[in-house]
Amino acid sequence: MSNEILTPELNRQIDRAVDALRAGNIVGMPTETVYGLAADAGNLAAVRKIFQMKNRPADHPLIVHCHSMAAARSWIESLPASAEKLGHRFWPGPLTLVIRRSAQVLPEITGGQETVAVRVPSHPVALELLRRFDSAVVAPSANRFGRVSPTQAADVRQEFPDSGLLVLDGGACEIGIESTIVDCSRPDRVAILRPGFVTAEQIFECLGQMPEGHSNHSPRVSGSLDAHYAPQARVELVDAASIASMLSAA
């Protein structure tokens, strides 16, 4: 997405958003995947506001968003070779890496686990916000827990109509589905804990090894519960051959 999206008015809004984050408030932030509710990752009260707004279970981890791999290093214990290779290949972009956390990460962010999920988004508005804020934010999808993730600023305002939430309008999300989450916390093994835009085949091409799947020993991650992403609509399963006729009859 072009940096031309950073109009003078949007630049002023980003400055307002930085002030809001520093004051411990929540900001609606566009990313290339979905819109998120951003809060200062180092502010416990702000992190707790995220859980309250979303009605999110306290043990459900959040993803830390940074403006670069260098910035992400202060939130992790060390950078495994697999994570470094994946970061160089896919950051900025729709890939989240699960790594052992550093001491500065709030336990509320990780759900009490020893791992933290980090990523570098590629949306120019998100990157500019993170650069000006000069720290990391947690930014789960900007919807109440269990609802479908928003891909436009208007969706966020509709989800939280009376909150007075400042929402940065970065246009429609380019991808529209959540980031792929890959566990890099175990030596010599990687595993996809949540599927997304980055595929297992792309990870294999990068690392030379096929990622494993989720197991009982995997860290808990955002978006992995059975009740996640439930649309408020009737859902039907149909075969591919019937889709065209159903659409023409609608």
Short mmCIF file of all heavy atoms in Angstrom, two decimals, residues 1-3 5-6 29-34 65-68 90-95 119-128 130-131 173-175 179 197:
data_model
loop_
_atom_site.label_atom_id
_atom_site.label_comp_id
_atom_site.label_asym_id
_atom_site.label_seq_id
_atom_site.Cartn_x
_atom_site.Cartn_y
_atom_site.Cartn_z
N MET A 1 0.84 -1.19 0.00
CA MET A 1 0.00 0.00 0.00
C MET A 1 0.88 1.24 0.00
O MET A 1 1.86 1.32 0.73
CB MET A 1 -0.93 0.00 1.22
CG MET A 1 -2.00 1.08 1.18
SD MET A 1 -3.15 0.90 2.54
CE MET A 1 -4.01 -0.59 2.06
N SER A 2 0.56 2.23 -0.79
CA SER A 2 1.41 3.40 -0.96
C SER A 2 1.38 4.31 0.25
O SER A 2 0.37 4.47 0.93
CB SER A 2 0.94 4.18 -2.20
OG SER A 2 1.58 5.43 -2.27
N ASN A 3 2.51 4.99 0.49
CA ASN A 3 2.58 5.99 1.56
C ASN A 3 1.77 7.23 1.22
O ASN A 3 1.64 8.12 2.05
CB ASN A 3 4.03 6.38 1.83
CG ASN A 3 4.77 5.32 2.62
OD1 ASN A 3 4.15 4.62 3.42
ND2 ASN A 3 6.05 5.20 2.40
N ILE A 5 -1.18 7.42 1.20
CA ILE A 5 -2.34 7.42 2.09
C ILE A 5 -2.16 8.38 3.26
O ILE A 5 -3.12 8.81 3.89
CB ILE A 5 -2.62 5.98 2.60
CG1 ILE A 5 -4.03 5.88 3.18
CG2 ILE A 5 -1.60 5.54 3.61
CD1 ILE A 5 -4.44 4.46 3.50
N LEU A 6 -0.90 8.75 3.56
CA LEU A 6 -0.62 9.62 4.70
C LEU A 6 -0.85 11.08 4.31
O LEU A 6 0.09 11.85 4.09
CB LEU A 6 0.81 9.40 5.20
CG LEU A 6 1.11 7.99 5.72
CD1 LEU A 6 2.57 7.86 6.10
CD2 LEU A 6 0.23 7.67 6.91
N MET A 29 -6.67 1.13 14.97
CA MET A 29 -5.50 1.18 14.08
C MET A 29 -5.68 0.25 12.89
O MET A 29 -5.95 -0.95 13.07
CB MET A 29 -4.25 0.79 14.87
CG MET A 29 -2.96 0.80 14.06
SD MET A 29 -1.51 0.25 15.04
CE MET A 29 -1.71 -1.54 14.96
N PRO A 30 -5.50 0.74 11.66
CA PRO A 30 -5.56 -0.15 10.50
C PRO A 30 -4.28 -0.96 10.38
O PRO A 30 -3.19 -0.48 10.69
CB PRO A 30 -5.71 0.82 9.33
CG PRO A 30 -4.98 2.05 9.78
CD PRO A 30 -5.22 2.14 11.26
N THR A 31 -4.39 -2.19 9.94
CA THR A 31 -3.23 -2.97 9.51
C THR A 31 -3.58 -3.57 8.16
O THR A 31 -4.71 -3.45 7.68
CB THR A 31 -2.84 -4.09 10.50
OG1 THR A 31 -3.75 -5.18 10.37
CG2 THR A 31 -2.82 -3.59 11.93
N GLU A 32 -2.62 -4.25 7.53
CA GLU A 32 -2.90 -4.87 6.25
C GLU A 32 -3.83 -6.06 6.39
O GLU A 32 -4.47 -6.49 5.43
CB GLU A 32 -1.59 -5.30 5.57
CG GLU A 32 -0.92 -6.51 6.16
CD GLU A 32 -0.13 -6.23 7.43
OE1 GLU A 32 -0.25 -5.11 8.00
OE2 GLU A 32 0.60 -7.13 7.87
N THR A 33 -3.95 -6.60 7.62
CA THR A 33 -4.81 -7.77 7.85
C THR A 33 -6.22 -7.32 8.24
O THR A 33 -7.16 -7.46 7.45
CB THR A 33 -4.21 -8.68 8.92
OG1 THR A 33 -3.98 -7.93 10.14
CG2 THR A 33 -2.90 -9.28 8.44
N VAL A 34 -6.39 -6.80 9.45
CA VAL A 34 -7.67 -6.28 9.93
C VAL A 34 -7.39 -5.04 10.79
O VAL A 34 -6.24 -4.75 11.10
CB VAL A 34 -8.44 -7.33 10.77
CG1 VAL A 34 -8.76 -8.57 9.93
CG2 VAL A 34 -7.67 -7.72 12.02
N HIS A 65 2.76 -5.44 18.56
CA HIS A 65 3.08 -4.89 17.25
C HIS A 65 4.23 -3.90 17.37
O HIS A 65 4.17 -2.97 18.20
CB HIS A 65 1.86 -4.18 16.65
CG HIS A 65 0.73 -5.11 16.29
ND1 HIS A 65 0.07 -5.89 17.21
CD2 HIS A 65 0.15 -5.37 15.09
CE1 HIS A 65 -0.87 -6.59 16.60
NE2 HIS A 65 -0.84 -6.29 15.31
N CYS A 66 5.26 -4.07 16.56
CA CYS A 66 6.45 -3.22 16.57
C CYS A 66 6.67 -2.65 15.17
O CYS A 66 6.15 -3.15 14.18
CB CYS A 66 7.67 -4.02 16.99
SG CYS A 66 7.51 -4.83 18.60
N HIS A 67 7.51 -1.59 15.09
CA HIS A 67 7.74 -0.97 13.78
C HIS A 67 8.90 -1.58 13.02
O HIS A 67 9.11 -1.27 11.84
CB HIS A 67 7.95 0.54 13.91
CG HIS A 67 9.16 0.95 14.70
ND1 HIS A 67 10.44 0.87 14.18
CD2 HIS A 67 9.29 1.45 15.94
CE1 HIS A 67 11.30 1.31 15.07
NE2 HIS A 67 10.63 1.66 16.16
N SER A 68 9.67 -2.48 13.66
CA SER A 68 10.81 -3.11 12.99
C SER A 68 11.25 -4.33 13.78
O SER A 68 10.87 -4.51 14.95
CB SER A 68 11.97 -2.12 12.89
OG SER A 68 12.46 -1.80 14.19
N PHE A 90 9.34 -12.03 5.81
CA PHE A 90 7.93 -11.64 5.80
C PHE A 90 7.60 -10.35 6.54
O PHE A 90 6.45 -9.92 6.51
CB PHE A 90 7.08 -12.79 6.37
CG PHE A 90 7.13 -14.04 5.56
CD1 PHE A 90 7.85 -15.15 5.99
CD2 PHE A 90 6.47 -14.12 4.34
CE1 PHE A 90 7.89 -16.31 5.23
CE2 PHE A 90 6.50 -15.28 3.58
CZ PHE A 90 7.22 -16.38 4.02
N TRP A 91 8.55 -9.74 7.23
CA TRP A 91 8.27 -8.47 7.93
C TRP A 91 8.81 -7.31 7.13
O TRP A 91 9.90 -7.40 6.58
CB TRP A 91 8.92 -8.49 9.31
CG TRP A 91 8.18 -9.29 10.33
CD1 TRP A 91 6.98 -9.91 10.22
CD2 TRP A 91 8.64 -9.55 11.67
NE1 TRP A 91 6.65 -10.54 11.39
CE2 TRP A 91 7.65 -10.33 12.31
CE3 TRP A 91 9.77 -9.20 12.40
CZ2 TRP A 91 7.76 -10.76 13.63
CZ3 TRP A 91 9.90 -9.62 13.71
CH2 TRP A 91 8.90 -10.39 14.31
N PRO A 92 8.10 -6.19 7.08
CA PRO A 92 6.73 -6.01 7.57
C PRO A 92 5.74 -6.86 6.76
O PRO A 92 5.88 -6.95 5.55
CB PRO A 92 6.46 -4.51 7.36
CG PRO A 92 7.79 -3.88 7.14
CD PRO A 92 8.64 -4.93 6.51
N GLY A 93 4.77 -7.41 7.47
CA GLY A 93 3.79 -8.24 6.78
C GLY A 93 2.96 -9.07 7.72
O GLY A 93 3.11 -9.01 8.95
N PRO A 94 2.07 -9.91 7.16
CA PRO A 94 1.04 -10.60 7.93
C PRO A 94 1.52 -11.91 8.58
O PRO A 94 0.91 -12.96 8.42
CB PRO A 94 -0.03 -10.87 6.88
CG PRO A 94 0.74 -11.07 5.62
CD PRO A 94 1.89 -10.10 5.70
N LEU A 95 2.65 -11.83 9.30
CA LEU A 95 3.17 -13.00 9.99
C LEU A 95 3.47 -12.63 11.44
O LEU A 95 4.14 -11.63 11.71
CB LEU A 95 4.46 -13.50 9.33
CG LEU A 95 5.08 -14.74 9.99
CD1 LEU A 95 4.23 -15.98 9.72
CD2 LEU A 95 6.51 -14.96 9.51
N ARG A 119 4.78 -9.10 15.96
CA ARG A 119 4.79 -8.93 14.51
C ARG A 119 5.06 -7.48 14.14
O ARG A 119 4.94 -6.58 14.97
CB ARG A 119 3.51 -9.44 13.88
CG ARG A 119 2.37 -8.46 13.66
CD ARG A 119 1.26 -9.16 12.88
NE ARG A 119 0.12 -8.30 12.57
CZ ARG A 119 -0.08 -7.74 11.38
NH1 ARG A 119 0.82 -7.86 10.42
NH2 ARG A 119 -1.15 -7.00 11.15
N VAL A 120 5.43 -7.28 12.87
CA VAL A 120 5.66 -5.95 12.29
C VAL A 120 4.65 -5.78 11.16
O VAL A 120 4.79 -6.42 10.11
CB VAL A 120 7.09 -5.79 11.76
CG1 VAL A 120 7.28 -4.40 11.15
CG2 VAL A 120 8.12 -6.03 12.87
N PRO A 121 3.61 -4.97 11.35
CA PRO A 121 2.60 -4.82 10.30
C PRO A 121 3.15 -4.01 9.13
O PRO A 121 4.09 -3.23 9.28
CB PRO A 121 1.47 -4.06 11.02
CG PRO A 121 2.17 -3.28 12.08
CD PRO A 121 3.32 -4.15 12.53
N SER A 122 2.54 -4.18 7.95
CA SER A 122 3.04 -3.48 6.77
C SER A 122 2.20 -2.28 6.37
O SER A 122 2.59 -1.54 5.47
CB SER A 122 3.12 -4.45 5.58
OG SER A 122 1.84 -4.93 5.21
N HIS A 123 1.05 -2.07 7.00
CA HIS A 123 0.22 -0.92 6.63
C HIS A 123 0.97 0.37 6.96
O HIS A 123 1.47 0.53 8.08
CB HIS A 123 -1.11 -0.97 7.39
CG HIS A 123 -2.16 -0.07 6.81
ND1 HIS A 123 -2.06 1.30 6.87
CD2 HIS A 123 -3.34 -0.34 6.19
CE1 HIS A 123 -3.13 1.83 6.29
NE2 HIS A 123 -3.91 0.86 5.87
N PRO A 124 1.05 1.34 6.03
CA PRO A 124 1.82 2.56 6.28
C PRO A 124 1.32 3.37 7.46
O PRO A 124 2.12 4.01 8.16
CB PRO A 124 1.71 3.35 4.97
CG PRO A 124 0.53 2.76 4.26
CD PRO A 124 0.48 1.32 4.66
N VAL A 125 0.01 3.36 7.72
CA VAL A 125 -0.52 4.11 8.86
C VAL A 125 -0.08 3.45 10.17
O VAL A 125 0.34 4.12 11.11
CB VAL A 125 -2.05 4.22 8.79
CG1 VAL A 125 -2.62 4.85 10.06
CG2 VAL A 125 -2.47 5.03 7.57
N ALA A 126 -0.17 2.13 10.24
CA ALA A 126 0.27 1.42 11.44
C ALA A 126 1.77 1.64 11.69
O ALA A 126 2.19 1.91 12.82
CB ALA A 126 -0.03 -0.07 11.31
N LEU A 127 2.57 1.52 10.64
CA LEU A 127 4.01 1.69 10.80
C LEU A 127 4.36 3.11 11.23
O LEU A 127 5.22 3.32 12.10
CB LEU A 127 4.72 1.37 9.48
CG LEU A 127 4.89 -0.12 9.16
CD1 LEU A 127 5.48 -0.29 7.77
CD2 LEU A 127 5.76 -0.81 10.20
N GLU A 128 3.69 4.10 10.65
CA GLU A 128 3.97 5.48 11.04
C GLU A 128 3.54 5.75 12.47
O GLU A 128 4.25 6.44 13.22
CB GLU A 128 3.26 6.45 10.08
CG GLU A 128 3.65 7.90 10.25
CD GLU A 128 5.12 8.18 9.97
OE1 GLU A 128 5.78 7.35 9.28
OE2 GLU A 128 5.62 9.22 10.43
N LEU A 130 3.46 3.55 14.90
CA LEU A 130 4.43 2.87 15.76
C LEU A 130 5.76 3.62 15.81
O LEU A 130 6.40 3.71 16.86
CB LEU A 130 4.63 1.43 15.28
CG LEU A 130 3.45 0.50 15.51
CD1 LEU A 130 3.59 -0.77 14.66
CD2 LEU A 130 3.31 0.15 16.98
N ARG A 131 6.19 4.16 14.68
CA ARG A 131 7.45 4.92 14.66
C ARG A 131 7.34 6.17 15.52
O ARG A 131 8.25 6.49 16.30
CB ARG A 131 7.80 5.30 13.22
CG ARG A 131 8.24 4.14 12.34
CD ARG A 131 8.82 4.65 11.02
NE ARG A 131 9.03 3.56 10.08
CZ ARG A 131 8.25 3.32 9.03
NH1 ARG A 131 7.20 4.10 8.77
NH2 ARG A 131 8.52 2.31 8.21
N CYS A 173 -8.78 -2.80 4.51
CA CYS A 173 -7.59 -3.63 4.71
C CYS A 173 -7.26 -4.40 3.44
O CYS A 173 -8.14 -4.95 2.78
CB CYS A 173 -7.81 -4.62 5.86
SG CYS A 173 -8.05 -3.82 7.45
N GLU A 174 -5.98 -4.44 3.10
CA GLU A 174 -5.55 -5.06 1.86
C GLU A 174 -5.77 -6.57 1.85
O GLU A 174 -6.10 -7.16 0.83
CB GLU A 174 -4.06 -4.76 1.65
CG GLU A 174 -3.48 -5.25 0.34
CD GLU A 174 -2.04 -4.83 0.16
OE1 GLU A 174 -1.46 -4.27 1.10
OE2 GLU A 174 -1.49 -5.09 -0.93
N ILE A 175 -5.59 -7.22 3.01
CA ILE A 175 -5.68 -8.69 3.09
C ILE A 175 -7.02 -9.13 3.65
O ILE A 175 -7.71 -9.96 3.06
CB ILE A 175 -4.51 -9.25 3.93
CG1 ILE A 175 -3.19 -8.98 3.19
CG2 ILE A 175 -4.69 -10.74 4.20
CD1 ILE A 175 -1.96 -9.38 3.97
N SER A 179 -3.26 -12.45 10.68
CA SER A 179 -1.91 -12.90 10.36
C SER A 179 -1.73 -14.38 10.70
O SER A 179 -2.38 -14.92 11.59
CB SER A 179 -0.88 -12.08 11.15
OG SER A 179 -1.07 -12.26 12.55
N PHE A 197 -2.55 -15.53 5.99
CA PHE A 197 -2.17 -15.21 4.62
C PHE A 197 -0.85 -15.87 4.21
O PHE A 197 -0.69 -16.28 3.07
CB PHE A 197 -2.07 -13.68 4.48
CG PHE A 197 -1.91 -13.22 3.06
CD1 PHE A 197 -2.99 -13.21 2.20
CD2 PHE A 197 -0.69 -12.77 2.60
CE1 PHE A 197 -2.85 -12.78 0.89
CE2 PHE A 197 -0.54 -12.33 1.29
CZ PHE A 197 -1.62 -12.33 0.44
#
